Amino acid sequence: MTVKSTARARKKAAPAVPDNLPAGSGAQPELIQLLTPEGERVEHPDYPLTTTPDELRDLYRDLVLVRRFDAEATSLQRQGELGLWASLLGQEAAQVGSGRAMRPGDYAFPTYREHGVAWCRDVDPLNLLGMFRGVNHGGWDPNEKNFHLYTIVIGAQALHATGYAMGITKDGTDDAVIAYFGDGASSQGDVSEAFTFASVYNAPVVFFCQNNQWAISEPTTTQTKIPLYRRASGFGFPGVRVDGNDVLACLAVTRWALDHARSGNGPVLVEAFTYRMGAHTTSDDPTRYRLAEETEAWRAKDPISRLKAHLDREGLADEAFFAEVEARSEELGLRVREGVRSMPDPDPTLIFDHVYAEPHTLVDEERAEYTAYAASFEGGENL
């Protein structure tokens, strides 16, 4: 067989449906799935998952409340109550599934969109909103929640997570670390460096990439010619692609990955194949770079709808349960709205308080100059 005929044969043998697909293609990639979009439960030999009816109802409640909180935040930003908001709409299953897979001692390093993971780590939503309102720097104690402060620098948290994982290895604990980032961040050098260090030092860290297919206005296909999860093999550790709209698959795969890492087997890359239903942030207009048909196709794969369909199909929830969840959703929405609007503005001079651990003459002079300057304006005497 000639070289040309061999190449033709290989081309014919290639799968009809590639697993790195352009956004909106309509074809389905290969991925781990335990719950179909129609709500049918399926099994996977490598990622078994046993759940009780109560656990399934709890996951549904998480998904609904996280989405409601996110929707309220978007509305508040549109009303001028927040400076910016990064919505997670469409990615609830990836975040709740992976968040509920963590043990109490595991530590998460988020980006700026992991509101669902924050919910799973018992971070008060108002603390998140306070940061986007500009009245705090996060508002929660990372060491109390085992949930790091939000990271705005794209990809930097992957290195922070790797360093933390290397540290807990020296401590001799059986905890694990999870680092969240998006498909756009996968192109950052920080992420590549984190992969290298984690692999070489066998760090107990799971890299959880939420591939929502759009790095602002750039589709994933302009950043990589192979599926993101396959990048792990080049660094010497396993990668797996999971249906990011399937909360059960995200739970099972992340639980496996964390146990793999904590057992001394090194890092894992999990690619949650999902879709950003809304804008990148509230400063973005996704209609300028993607088609409405694409968004509608993904609406049929909605993570909440499929779990609700499963609960209905199996008779695991009744109308009273769904009414109770809706009532809690309304309560959360009200608390969020009232809480944000009643947040007091911080004292502007607080920016000088923690520049150094000890008092510093230059900072004291700058504080005095700023105070005098602010007092020169009408109402400045109230500072």
Side-chain angles (χ1 to χ4, degrees):
M1 186 179 287
T2 64
V3 173
K4 288 185 178 180
S5 63
T6 301
R8 284 196 297 270
R10 287 175 178 168
K11 187 174 182 180
K12 290 179 181 178
V17 180
D19 57 358
N20 193 39
L21 304 167
S25 66
Q28 299 301 310
E30 295 183 5
L31 39 72
I32 307 302
Q33 186 178 85
L34 299 183
L35 193 64
T36 70
E38 296 74 30
E40 180 182 357
R41 181 74 161 85
V42 294
E43 301 295 334
H44 193 285
D46 298 326
Y47 305 98
L49 180 68
T50 301
T51 54
T52 67
D54 281 343
E55 289 170 337
L56 291 173
R57 287 189 289 266
D58 286 345
L59 288 171
Y60 178 82
R61 187 180 292 106
D62 284 338
L63 295 174
V64 171
L65 294 180
V66 165
R67 176 170 293 184
R68 180 53 181 270
F69 155 63
D70 179 69
E72 290 294 337
T74 300
S75 296
L76 286 165
Q77 194 283 328
R78 297 305 190 199
Q79 296 164 18
E81 300 290 350
L82 303 178
L84 188 73
W85 184 248
S87 174
L88 58 64
L89 183 62
Q91 300 177 219
E92 296 90 351
Q95 296 192 15
V96 169
S98 61
R100 292 304 183 195
M102 286 187 280
R103 295 181 185 177
D106 295 339
Y107 204 109
F109 286 80
T111 62
Y112 45 77
R113 199 188 301 277
E114 274 66 61
H115 320 313
V117 185
W119 175 270
C120 294
R121 303 309 275 178
D122 294 326
V123 174
D124 190 330
L126 288 175
N127 279 335
L128 301 179
L129 294 170
M131 180 175 60
F132 284 92
R133 189 175 171 87
V135 302
N136 65 36
H137 294 295
W140 66 89
D141 182 351
N143 292 324
E144 175 192 351
K145 304 297 185 181
N146 275 16
F147 184 76
H148 200 265
L149 296 176
Y150 274 10
T151 303
I152 307 301
V153 179
I154 306 299
Q157 71 280 2
L159 280 171
H160 304 159
T162 300
Y164 189 91
M166 291 165 62
I168 63 175
T169 298
K170 294 183 179 297
D171 292 338
T173 72
D174 66 346
D175 297 325
V177 179
I178 184 167
Y180 290 90
F181 56 94
D183 47 292
S186 69
S187 297
Q188 292 290 331
D190 284 3
V191 174
S192 180
E193 292 169 7
F195 285 2
T196 298
F197 271 89
S199 178
V200 170
Y201 287 93
N202 213 43
V205 56
V206 172
F207 298 106
F208 194 92
C209 176
Q210 293 177 81
N211 179 3
N212 64 26
Q213 301 182 59
W214 289 97
I216 307 183
S217 58
E218 289 295 315
T220 308
T221 48
T222 66
Q223 302 184 70
T224 177
K225 290 188 175 182
I226 64 170
L228 294 177
Y229 76 96
R230 289 190 181 175
R231 288 185 175 182
S233 62
F235 293 87
F237 56 89
V240 58
R241 174 183 268 176
V242 61
D243 184 344
N245 285 27
D246 177 354
V247 68
L248 300 186
C250 290
L251 174 63
V253 169
T254 308
R255 185 177 289 167
W256 167 84
L258 288 166
D259 287 344
H260 176 95
R262 77 173 84 255
S263 300
N265 298 310
V268 177
L269 171 61
V270 175
E271 177 193 356
F273 194 80
T274 182
Y275 192 80
R276 168 168 56 80
M277 294 298 292
H280 175 70
T281 69
T282 45
S283 65
D284 170 45
D285 179 7
T287 64
R288 295 174 63 88
Y289 54 81
R290 69 186 191 191
L291 300 175
E293 292 85 349
E294 178 185 321
T295 305
E296 287 305 309
W298 275 89
R299 200 177 303 279
K301 307 171 187 178
D302 183 77
I304 297 179
S305 296
R306 73 169 66 181
L307 184 53
K308 185 177 189 296
H310 177 68
L311 293 172
D312 282 333
R313 174 193 293 264
E314 301 298 325
L316 300 176
D318 56 19
E319 289 304 317
F321 166 76
F322 293 119
E324 177 266 328
V325 173
E326 182 61 26
R328 285 195 58 180
S329 172
E330 291 296 326
E331 291 173 3
L332 177 62
L334 178 61
R335 186 170 80 87
V336 165
R337 291 194 300 275
E338 293 181 345
V340 167
R341 290 168 176 160
S342 62
M343 287 179 179
D345 292 334
D347 181 349
T349 63
L350 289 175
I351 61 174
F352 300 100
D353 286 358
H354 302 291
V355 179
Y356 292 99
E358 302 294 334
H360 193 283
T361 303
L362 180 58
V363 174
D364 291 341
E365 292 176 357
E366 291 175 342
R367 180 189 291 106
E369 291 175 0
Y370 175 79
T371 301
Y373 172 75
S376 67
F377 294 93
E378 183 179 357
E381 67 275 2
N382 295 324
L383 287 175

